[in-house]
Amino acid sequence: MSDLLSIGASGVRAYQSALSVTGENIANSGAAGYVRRSVRLTEMGAGAGLVDVPAAGNGVLMTGIVRSTDVYASQAVRSASADLSRTTAGVQWLDRIEKTLTGNELSARMTGFFGSANTLAAEPDSTALRQGMLSAAESLGIAFTATGQSFDQIDQDMDAAGRQATTQLNALGRALVQINDGLGRTTPNTAAAAQLTDQRDQILDQMSAIVDIDVTTDSLGRTNVKLGGANGQAFVNQNLSGAVAYQRAKGEVVLAVSMNGGVGILSPSGGALAGIVDGAQRVSAAREKVEDVAADFVARVNANQKAGEDQTGAAGQAMFTVGTRPTDIAVALTSGAQIAAADPGGGRRDSSKLTDLEGLRGAKGWEASLTATITNNASTLDQRNTIAAAQGGIRDGAMSALTSTTGVNLDSEAVELMRYQQAYQASSRVIQIARDTLQTILDIR
């Protein structure tokens, strides 16, 4: 009877644990990052467990809680997430460039400036037309200045995003070290170990959205992480975490990883940080093109002015002044009469310098350069949006494949719940039968 009681008791204990695990699966079916768990049940053969007598079997033993993991599917999700994050981050900065280049109507205002100069050339002695050209010059200077300030704001926002990303990455590294320490202290194949492993995988997923990572795991589930792929910089080595620093100089973003006294340069190929690196280069290139146009435009227009004669017959003076940046442009003239439309000695009705200005417009192609910059950025932005849509589909497919393996199916869990309930009831019935049988024997007189 003791064997029958032991068999029943082992079943009650094992199936009670199984019911608990199934109930936890059902309760967390919609929880982000939760991985389905199951119990590993093993037959207690002769000589095993608490009873050590020759027998065919001594019941059932729960030997552990198993997570429904898929290493390859998890890696596919992280890789797809890193690719998508890089593209979407790059799209953000391309969109900011487009708004900067088009929002201040820089190209249109330059066209307006030359249009007013051509109008004045037809009637160079007109006070109203001279004032109109001066107003157009002021409008163009404001557009250049606003464009430069918009680029400054982009740089500030990019630096803030970069520092926030590295701060978050460093915090995730420290959290992963704590998870590794917890896994080293926790008995494998337990509910506590499964919970820690879920947290570990969530941290790795968050890391992959910031930068592409390479992950290796030991038998206890503790993780080592490299940033920038398999040949990248070590960042987490079980119980030691590094620190990533962000710096931007001359339009180039530099990411340095310091760990255990050493410092290495991180070159990300995925994640938001890679998008920021790409974005910094594109912002710098777009700013440089605008500043080149601004510097050349001001220099040529001022030189043309100084070579001419204004409405009063005085020598021409610079039309524009420039501040710290080439785009910090302001009009130096105080009246339309100071516009040098004529060659020296040409008189009030001479418009030779305005004709020369139109020639400079065609030869230098300032408007065409600005238009080309806008068009190229818009084309790249459109391509990146298309790529982002495709990568979003790839990531969704990878997530679906992972969920099919690790997710909770309520229908399946309902079946398991009924099965374990019946097994639990059967084990309880075995105990009842053993008790009744023993009582019958004791009642024999």
Side-chain angles (χ1 to χ4, degrees):
M1 291 304 103
S2 62
D3 288 349
L4 192 58
L5 285 169
S6 297
I7 291 171
S10 70
V12 167
R13 288 191 295 268
Y15 294 119
Q16 184 179 45
S17 298
L19 284 169
S20 177
V21 170
T22 304
E24 189 174 358
N25 286 340
I26 294 173
N28 291 279
S29 61
Y34 181 84
V35 175
R36 180 184 181 274
R37 297 160 192 178
S38 59
V39 293
R40 183 189 296 124
L41 300 176
T42 304
E43 180 184 357
M44 294 171 58
L50 302 176
V51 182
D52 190 6
V53 295
N58 292 308
V60 63
L61 178 67
M62 190 193 78
T63 58
I65 296 175
V66 181
R67 295 173 73 245
S68 302
T69 59
D70 188 329
V71 175
Y72 299 105
S74 297
Q75 180 56 40
V77 169
R78 291 176 193 139
S79 178
S81 177
D83 291 341
L84 179 59
S85 294
R86 173 177 182 165
T87 303
T88 52
V91 164
Q92 175 187 355
W93 304 116
L94 287 169
D95 184 63
R96 290 287 299 274
I97 293 171
E98 181 177 43
K99 291 177 179 177
T100 295
L101 293 175
T102 60
N104 298 303
E105 300 180 346
L106 181 57
S107 180
R109 294 191 186 191
M110 180 171 284
T111 299
F113 170 77
F114 283 113
S116 66
N118 289 335
T119 302
L120 179 60
E123 189 60 45
D125 198 31
S126 169
T127 301
L129 293 180
R130 283 177 173 272
Q131 190 59 42
M133 181 176 176
L134 188 63
S135 297
E138 291 173 346
S139 178
L140 179 58
I142 291 172
F144 267 118
T145 302
T147 300
Q149 291 173 346
S150 294
F151 276 119
D152 290 340
Q153 187 61 53
I154 292 176
D155 287 342
Q156 293 175 19
D157 293 344
M158 182 174 292
D159 289 344
R163 294 190 180 98
Q164 181 181 6
T166 54
T167 298
Q168 183 182 1
L169 186 61
N170 292 336
L172 290 172
R174 293 190 294 270
L176 188 58
V177 166
Q178 294 178 348
I179 296 296
N180 283 341
D181 181 65
L183 287 170
R185 298 170 181 268
T186 303
T187 303
N189 298 323
T190 60
Q195 184 175 4
L196 285 172
T197 308
D198 283 352
Q199 294 174 2
R200 179 203 68 189
D201 287 350
Q202 290 181 58
I203 290 174
L204 293 175
D205 290 344
Q206 293 176 56
M207 280 186 175
S208 66
I210 300 173
V211 63
D212 54 314
I213 60 176
D214 179 71
V215 179
T216 56
T217 306
D218 67 8
S219 59
L220 296 178
R222 295 175 297 185
T223 303
N224 295 333
V225 176
K226 289 184 178 180
L227 305 181
N231 297 320
Q233 298 295 324
F235 180 59
V236 173
N237 188 1
Q238 289 197 8
N239 296 323
L240 179 64
S241 174
V244 181
Y246 170 94
Q247 183 178 6
R248 184 177 56 84
K250 297 180 179 180
E252 296 289 335
V253 170
V254 177
L255 300 168
V257 182
S258 57
M259 183 174 183
N260 201 23
V263 178
I265 300 301
L266 170 62
S267 299
S269 59
L273 284 178
I276 290 175
V277 172
D278 292 343
Q281 294 173 347
R282 293 187 178 278
V283 169
S284 178
R287 180 199 282 272
E288 184 177 353
K289 289 182 181 296
V290 172
E291 290 183 345
D292 286 346
V293 169
D296 191 50
F297 170 79
V298 169
R300 299 290 180 175
V301 171
N302 284 348
N304 188 67
Q305 271 279 122
K306 292 178 180 179
E309 182 180 277
D310 68 13
Q311 193 176 21
T312 65
Q317 56 183 301
M319 179 177 289
F320 298 104
T321 59
V322 181
T324 305
R325 290 185 177 275
T327 51
D328 295 338
I329 299 173
V331 174
L333 306 181
T334 57
S335 73
Q338 294 175 305
I339 295 175
D343 278 331
R348 298 167 64 94
R349 306 212 38 100
D350 182 24
S351 61
S352 298
K353 285 305 171 187
L354 296 177
T355 302
D356 292 344
L357 185 61
E358 181 65 19
L360 287 172
R361 176 191 188 185
K364 293 300 180 179
W366 295 307
E367 295 159 280
S369 179
L370 291 174
T371 300
T373 302
I374 295 171
T375 301
N376 290 339
N377 185 82
S379 177
T380 303
L381 176 59
D382 184 64
Q383 293 173 4
R384 290 298 176 86
N385 280 323
T386 302
I387 293 172
Q391 289 176 336
I394 293 172
R395 184 181 183 278
D396 290 344
M399 282 292 298
S400 178
L402 178 62
T403 302
S404 66
T405 302
T406 65
V408 176
N409 185 301
L410 291 178
D411 292 336
S412 299
E413 296 304 320
V415 172
E416 290 293 285
L417 190 63
M418 293 176 60
R419 185 166 71 89
Y420 290 137
Q421 284 177 336
Q422 291 173 351
Y424 180 86
Q425 292 171 355
S427 298
S428 300
R429 185 60 177 161
V430 169
I431 295 175
Q432 180 67 38
I433 291 172
R435 191 190 70 172
D436 292 345
T437 302
L438 183 59
Q439 185 63 48
T440 298
I441 295 174
L442 293 175
D443 288 342
I444 296 175
R445 296 279 195 278

